[in-house]
Amino acid sequence: MNITYLYYLLKSTYQNIRQHLVINLISIFTITFSLVIFGLYSFGYLNLKKTLDDWRTDFQVIVYLQDSISQTQLKSLKHFCKSHPVVSRVVYVDKNKAMQHFRQSLGKDSTLLQGLKGNPLPASLELQLKSEVQGMQAVESLVGRIRQQPGVDELQYGQQWLNHFFSIMRLLHIFGLGVTGFLFFVTIFIVSNTIKLSFYSRRDAIDIMELVGATRFYIAIPYLLEGLFQGLIASLLSVAAVYGIYYYLVAWLQRSFPFLQGMVSLTFFTPRMLGGFIILGVLLGGLGFLVSFKWIRGN
Amino acid sequence: MIRVFHLYKNYLPTVAVLQDVSFKLEAGDFVFLTGPSGAGKTTLLRLLFAAERPKSGQILINGKNITSFSRRRIAHVRRSIGVVFQDFKLITYRTVFDNVALVLEISGTPRNEIKKRVWKVLKLVGIEQKLYRYPLELSGGEQQRVAIARALVNEPQIILADEPTGNLDFEITTEIMNILNNVNAQGTTVMLATHNQLLLQKFKRKVFTLHNGMLHEDVLPKEDQ
């Protein structure tokens, strides 16, 4: 394809868009609307997943040690825990530190501890798990193996909480996949129908072009470009709309629920996600065109 | 130039529109295609520019049988045939210039060349002053001139005109006939479908008459004789 030919295709695209401005605006509005819904859903999903991930970061397996544990056993246990694939961090809390933490947590009531003789609190290892850990099996295998190590007294890891957490995450993934697929098909359906309408309104022009010797390629390319253009504009508009909603939501949360500050923080899409979102919009426009063009050819 | 052999066309299984139509046209021929309404004039023209396919028979344009051509090859054949329709078939959202230029743009002609050729052909049909008007801003006669300009701009070897003067008064009809005569004088083959007997009488040319789907050469239709 030479430059002259490309120029004519672009000119034809421009003429199509200019002449059918209303239909184009309807298409752009439709795609924008679908993308905003999709964007809001993705935004909600992203933040829910982030919050759950944050909670998981706080999750720890605490290994209480026997008072009789030797230095060699302790060293070997630390090494075992550090080298385990699901563990990201190991912190050793000795008996004194444990007491210090306990005092701090009691605050004013720490005077209660004044009559206490000696230090009854055990030393412990606090294990933080990697965020990639996806199921209970990995955690239970870790716990089981630590339990067999010498010098280990007891383990605490909130089994029930963890079970719920993984169930929620699994549901979220399945639901997310389902909703994403559904929204995607609904959007393609709406977009292709809008483009079908636009084809109908230009059927005469398409017939005339065929009669004077235009190939299918020459006729179709301006419509494809039009679809991609609509997708691009719609995705930019929807990003702006979702950002606007995010901006006002954050301001509203800060104003209405100041106590939530620090506990809940909303995140917007990363630049990479935004790029993907815009590409998705452009592809939707193009795909909508392809579906309707196939339909037009069939008729 | 054009050779047609034993052409048959049916729209319904039992209703034959064209039956065993055969004829040949040489370069520079001018022929009227006439016959009563529904005789198959438009169908024959549509078969000649491959807008439809025959039930059987062959159509040779410059020695190539177009009845078996793919869509892509048909598009290329159409560029060597100028077609004028009774209802003009102009794209209403393109200017006069853009409507005529379309044929050249399709074949990738450079822009400067297009400007020159469109201007020249619009001048030939006498509508150069309405270059940037839209079709709906023009009269019927003017729209038909634009349609003729579009058919001529690619300098085709063949012009097929389907009732090009059907909706126009006699004065404009004469002007349009003069344009087609001039083009024909330069060697272009012209086939013009019409049921206007005055036209046949005024411009003495070879006549093909279609009657009950059969083609008769140099015979006027019975009801008009």
Side-chain angles (χ1 to χ4, degrees):
Chain A
M1 193 197 312
N2 60 30
I3 299 287
T4 313
Y5 205 65
L6 187 68
Y7 166 80
Y8 296 139
L9 290 175
L10 290 173
K11 181 182 153 191
S12 191
T13 308
Y14 168 72
Q15 281 179 332
N16 281 352
I17 293 172
R18 201 186 60 174
Q19 183 57 32
H20 301 90
L21 210 57
V22 176
I23 288 179
N24 268 282
L25 287 175
I26 292 172
S27 296
I28 288 172
F29 175 77
T30 312
I31 305 174
T32 306
F33 184 73
S34 308
L35 283 176
V36 166
I37 291 177
F38 183 71
L40 286 177
Y41 169 75
S42 308
F43 172 69
Y45 177 80
L46 176 81
N47 277 285
L48 189 59
K49 192 171 178 304
K50 189 184 155 286
T51 308
L52 289 175
D53 278 342
D54 286 348
W55 288 351
R56 186 191 356 217
T57 316
D58 295 340
F59 171 76
Q60 289 183 330
V61 174
I62 301 172
V63 185
Y64 292 108
L65 306 172
Q66 292 168 354
D67 287 346
S68 58
I69 191 168
S70 70
Q71 282 304 310
T72 327
Q73 283 173 332
L74 178 65
K75 203 171 163 188
S76 143
L77 183 64
K78 269 190 194 168
H79 178 74
F80 172 81
C81 292
K82 269 183 192 162
S83 56
H84 197 281
V86 304
V87 178
S88 67
R89 206 159 68 105
V90 178
V91 177
Y92 174 63
V93 181
D94 63 22
K95 286 174 72 75
N96 293 336
K97 229 183 222 162
M99 181 54 84
Q100 206 180 321
H101 287 172
F102 190 44
R103 271 184 208 285
Q104 275 170 3
S105 65
L106 287 176
K108 282 181 204 164
D109 299 330
S110 64
T111 46
L112 291 171
L113 298 173
Q114 274 173 0
L116 198 69
K117 282 179 188 163
N119 181 357
L121 298 180
S124 63
L125 289 177
E126 292 176 358
L127 313 183
Q128 215 159 55
L129 302 187
K130 287 180 180 163
S131 59
E132 305 94 74
V133 182
Q134 291 296 338
M136 268 311 280
Q137 255 183 338
V139 182
E140 272 171 351
S141 143
L142 168 75
V143 168
R145 293 197 59 188
I146 294 175
R147 226 187 272 279
Q148 289 165 4
Q149 301 297 312
V152 173
D153 186 24
E154 210 178 307
L155 276 131
Q156 199 182 63
Y157 63 99
Q159 189 183 11
Q160 217 176 7
W161 184 91
L162 209 58
N163 254 330
H164 287 317
F165 174 81
F166 285 124
S167 303
I168 290 171
M169 284 307 275
R170 239 192 331 271
L171 268 178
L172 198 67
H173 280 303
I174 294 167
F175 185 70
L177 219 66
V179 171
T180 306
F182 177 73
L183 279 176
F184 195 72
F185 281 109
V186 166
T187 308
I188 290 177
F189 179 76
I190 294 170
V191 172
S192 65
N193 272 307
T194 318
I195 294 178
K196 266 181 215 169
L197 272 180
S198 138
F199 264 121
Y200 257 126
S201 73
R202 285 173 253 187
R203 226 171 182 180
D204 286 347
I206 292 172
D207 284 348
I208 293 167
M209 288 172 95
E210 275 198 323
L211 288 176
V212 298
T215 55
R216 284 268 175 176
F217 177 81
Y218 188 90
I219 295 169
I221 291 298
Y223 287 98
L224 173 64
L225 292 176
E226 196 176 326
L228 296 177
F229 172 77
Q230 288 170 356
L232 177 70
I233 298 295
S235 55
L236 291 174
L237 285 175
S238 55
V239 163
V242 174
Y243 183 77
I245 292 169
Y246 158 76
Y247 183 83
Y248 281 103
L249 191 66
V250 169
W252 178 76
L253 276 176
Q254 280 173 355
R255 215 173 36 244
S256 312
F257 306 98
F259 56 91
L260 281 179
Q261 232 167 3
M263 286 169 71
V264 178
S265 67
L266 292 178
T267 338
F268 195 62
F269 300 116
T270 61
R272 207 171 166 173
M273 285 174 173
L274 283 179
F277 197 73
I278 289 167
I279 289 171
L280 179 77
V282 173
L283 286 180
L284 272 178
L287 214 62
F289 157 81
L290 286 176
V291 171
S292 49
F293 192 67
K294 217 176 153 195
W295 178 84
I296 291 283
R297 286 187 75 166
N299 285 266
Chain B
M1 177 71 37
I2 301 177
R3 298 269 186 282
V4 172
F5 296 105
H6 309 294
L7 202 63
Y8 286 83
K9 175 72 184 173
N10 284 43
Y11 284 119
L12 292 168
T14 51
V15 184
V17 181
L18 295 176
Q19 294 185 72
D20 199 18
V21 170
S22 297
F23 65 87
K24 68 175 184 180
L25 289 179
E26 300 296 348
D29 276 354
F30 191 124
V31 60
F32 283 118
L33 179 64
T34 191
S37 294
K41 302 188 290 290
T42 300
T43 300
L44 180 56
L45 291 185
R46 286 176 64 80
L47 287 165
L48 292 180
F49 64 88
E52 291 186 34
R53 289 187 192 269
K55 183 186 171 199
S56 62
Q58 292 190 339
I59 300 167
L60 274 63
I61 306 280
N62 289 327
K64 286 174 187 157
N65 183 8
I66 63 164
T67 56
S68 56
F69 272 17
S70 64
R71 270 184 180 278
R72 192 174 178 79
R73 289 186 76 189
I74 284 171
H76 286 277
V77 168
R78 285 180 184 162
R79 293 176 199 174
S80 63
I81 302 173
V83 188
V84 184
F85 304 89
Q86 183 178 6
D87 59 353
F88 324 130
K89 291 208 184 298
L90 298 173
I91 300 176
T92 51
Y93 62 84
R94 283 180 169 238
T95 61
V96 167
F97 177 89
D98 283 334
N99 263 286
V100 178
L102 175 67
V103 182
L104 297 171
E105 288 176 1
I106 284 165
S107 50
T109 311
R111 287 166 67 193
N112 285 340
E113 178 74 15
I114 289 183
K115 277 183 192 166
K116 279 185 215 159
R117 282 168 68 174
V118 171
W119 172 257
K120 197 174 142 195
V121 78
L122 287 176
K123 204 163 170 7
L124 179 76
V125 299
I127 196 131
E128 74 277 14
Q129 72 281 12
K130 308 248 165 120
L131 201 61
Y132 297 111
R133 294 279 188 89
Y134 288 90
L136 297 180
E137 296 169 0
L138 306 176
S139 68
E142 288 171 330
Q143 288 189 53
Q144 194 56 290
R145 283 165 202 258
V146 178
I148 292 171
R150 183 182 61 192
L152 296 178
V153 73
N154 220 8
E155 295 168 1
Q157 297 165 307
I158 303 162
I159 294 276
L160 301 174
D162 189 8
E163 304 272 7
T165 57
N167 295 326
L168 308 174
D169 63 40
F170 200 75
E171 196 184 333
I172 296 169
T173 297
T174 306
E175 283 175 23
I176 283 172
M177 283 307 297
N178 287 337
I179 294 167
L180 292 174
N181 274 326
N182 289 338
V183 172
N184 174 244
Q186 287 164 26
T188 306
T189 307
V190 178
M191 187 177 222
L192 190 151
T194 183
H195 60 261
N196 183 343
Q197 297 307 302
L198 288 173
L199 214 60
L200 305 188
Q201 282 156 16
K202 187 170 179 193
F203 300 94
K204 303 282 182 204
R205 295 292 192 163
K206 191 192 268 186
V207 177
F208 288 173
T209 304
L210 270 171
H211 196 259
N212 290 334
M214 317 265 271
L215 187 109
H216 309 277
E217 295 194 24
D218 284 323
V219 179
L220 286 174
K222 278 179 186 169
E223 61 266 39
D224 296 315
Q225 281 179 325

